[in-house]
Amino acid sequence: MKTLPAKTVLAASLLALLPTAAATTYPLTLTDDLGRKVTLKAEPKRIISMVPGHSETLCAIGACGKLVGVDRYSDYPQQVARLPKVGDLFAPDVEAMVALKPDLVLVSQYSKLEGTLTQAGIPTIALDMEKYDEVFSKTLTLGRIVNREAQAKNVVLNIRRDIARVEILTRNAVRKPTTYLEVDPTPYSVGPNSFMGVLLGKAGARNVIPASLGDFPRVDPELIVKANPELMLGLTRQAAAARPGWSGLKAVRAGRVLDLPKDLNTILSRPGPRMGQALRGLARLVHPELFR
C-alpha cells in the first residue's frame, strides 16, 4: 500500500478542521446597524466598501474579487489599493459610486449615505465594529452577506488564535502599567469596552479611561492629570509635556510617552482580520521586556 507524504497528510488533517462550508440562502434579510431590515435578493457580485476594515475583511474571507470600489482610506491588501476610490464616508463621490453599478454598498451607521443610495436603487448595509465582540460577529455577518460563511468562520478562528498567542505572553507580565491611549489630539481616547480598549487590556495595560465615558470619548485633560498614568501611547513626549499640567505626569517624567508607529496606528484603528497583529504591536510597546 502506497504511503502518502507527511505534508499531504498534514494538509488533509488541517482541511478536516476547517468549518463545514454552508451556502447562504437568498433572498437574505438582515437587520443592519441603523435598525433597518435589508433584503438582498441574490448574492452580491459588485460591492463598494466605504469602511477600510470591511474592505480588509471581505478580502480575508475570499470576496476581494467582488469589490468594484472602495473609500479613499482602504489600502490593504494590495488588490484593494488598486480599486477605484469613491471618496469617504463623510465626503462620498456618489456620482462615481453610481457609475460603478454596485449591487451593494457597505457603509457605517454614521455615514448618512443610505438615503441617497437607496433613492438611486442601490442597496446599502450599515455595519460597525466598535466593540471587541462585534469584530467577530460582524465578520460572520459579512460572510453571510457574500456567501462566504465558512471562510468567515475560519478568519474568526485565526484572529482568536493570533490574539491568544499574545495573551500567553502578557499574562505573565509582572506589572501592568496604568495607561492612557490617545487616538486623536483633541484629545480622544478609548474606553475599556471598545475593541481598542479590550486590546489595550490584553496587551497587559490598565486603561485609565472609565467605561462610563463610552467607547471613544473626548476626555477632559484634567482627568488625565488626576489619573497620572505610568504609560502614554499615541502622542509624543513633547506634545504631552506641552499640555497644561501634563509635564509632571509619571509617564512624561519617566519618558514613557510613545507615539504609535504609522503602520501600527493604521491596523490598530481598523477592526478586522489584522487585529491579532495589532495586539502584538501594542503589547511590544507596553511590555518590550516580553519580546526580547
Side-chain angles (χ1 to χ4, degrees):
M1 183 177 176
K2 188 176 180 180
T3 302
L4 291 173
K7 286 185 177 179
T8 302
V9 174
L10 177 60
S13 301
L14 290 174
L15 285 172
L17 294 175
L18 291 176
T20 304
T24 302
T25 301
Y26 301 91
L28 171 67
T29 300
L30 51 83
T31 302
D32 74 357
D33 283 341
L34 287 169
R36 304 176 307 151
K37 286 193 179 298
V38 180
T39 298
L40 298 175
K41 296 178 181 176
E43 178 181 334
K45 306 288 188 184
R46 297 179 61 81
I47 300 174
I48 291 176
S49 168
M50 298 300 288
V51 183
H54 295 354
S55 305
E56 292 191 21
T57 300
L58 285 177
C59 289
I61 63 178
C64 215
K66 291 176 178 286
L67 286 169
V68 295
V70 292
D71 71 293
R72 67 190 179 100
Y73 297 112
S74 289
D75 57 5
Y76 184 90
Q78 193 173 18
Q79 192 173 345
V80 166
R82 294 193 292 263
L83 291 169
K85 307 295 184 186
V86 291
D88 59 51
L89 279 174
F90 304 105
D93 185 342
V94 176
E95 187 176 347
M97 296 170 72
V98 173
L100 290 171
K101 300 179 179 177
D103 53 16
L104 175 64
V105 178
L106 296 171
V107 299
S108 159
Q109 61 176 312
Y110 307 108
S111 62
K112 299 180 180 177
L113 257 173
E114 68 285 353
T116 303
L117 292 174
T118 301
Q119 286 180 359
I122 300 172
T124 61
I125 293 180
L127 291 177
D128 291 288
M129 304 179 185
E130 296 182 353
K131 296 188 181 298
Y132 180 74
D133 287 340
E134 286 180 331
V135 177
F136 307 109
S137 63
K138 301 294 176 64
T139 295
L140 297 176
T141 299
L142 284 171
R144 286 188 67 205
I145 290 171
V146 299
N147 194 17
R148 299 289 189 276
E149 290 191 70
Q151 293 91 333
K153 288 178 182 176
N154 202 39
V155 167
V156 166
L157 287 174
N158 287 336
I159 298 172
R160 291 192 184 280
R161 180 199 60 201
D162 293 343
I163 287 174
R165 286 174 175 166
V166 179
E167 282 188 286
I168 288 172
L169 292 175
T170 57
R171 203 172 288 147
N172 295 324
V174 175
R175 194 167 187 286
K176 300 186 176 183
T178 54
T179 303
Y180 166 67
L181 173 58
E182 185 167 285
V183 293
D184 184 276
T186 43
Y188 278 85
S189 187
V190 299
N193 293 324
S194 67
F195 77 91
M196 291 176 70
V198 172
L199 290 182
L200 185 61
K202 290 180 180 296
R206 289 181 288 153
N207 194 348
V208 298
I209 303 300
S212 58
L213 293 184
D215 290 338
F216 294 96
R218 185 175 186 177
V219 297
D220 181 346
E222 184 62 25
L223 182 149
I224 306 305
V225 173
K226 290 179 180 176
N228 198 9
E230 298 163 303
L231 173 66
M232 304 175 83
L233 300 173
L235 70 170
T236 66
R237 185 181 185 187
Q238 183 181 19
R243 295 179 186 174
W246 285 30
S247 61
L249 296 180
K250 290 178 186 176
V252 177
R253 286 191 282 110
R256 290 282 283 157
V257 184
L258 306 172
D259 204 0
L260 299 178
K262 184 179 177 183
D263 287 350
L264 175 58
N265 192 37
T266 298
I267 60 173
L268 184 61
S269 64
R270 293 182 184 178
R274 294 192 288 169
M275 205 159 65
Q277 185 182 339
L279 173 58
R280 178 169 287 275
L282 192 59
R284 280 181 183 275
L285 295 180
V286 178
H287 289 291
E289 75 280 3
L290 299 176
F291 293 87
R292 288 171 184 158

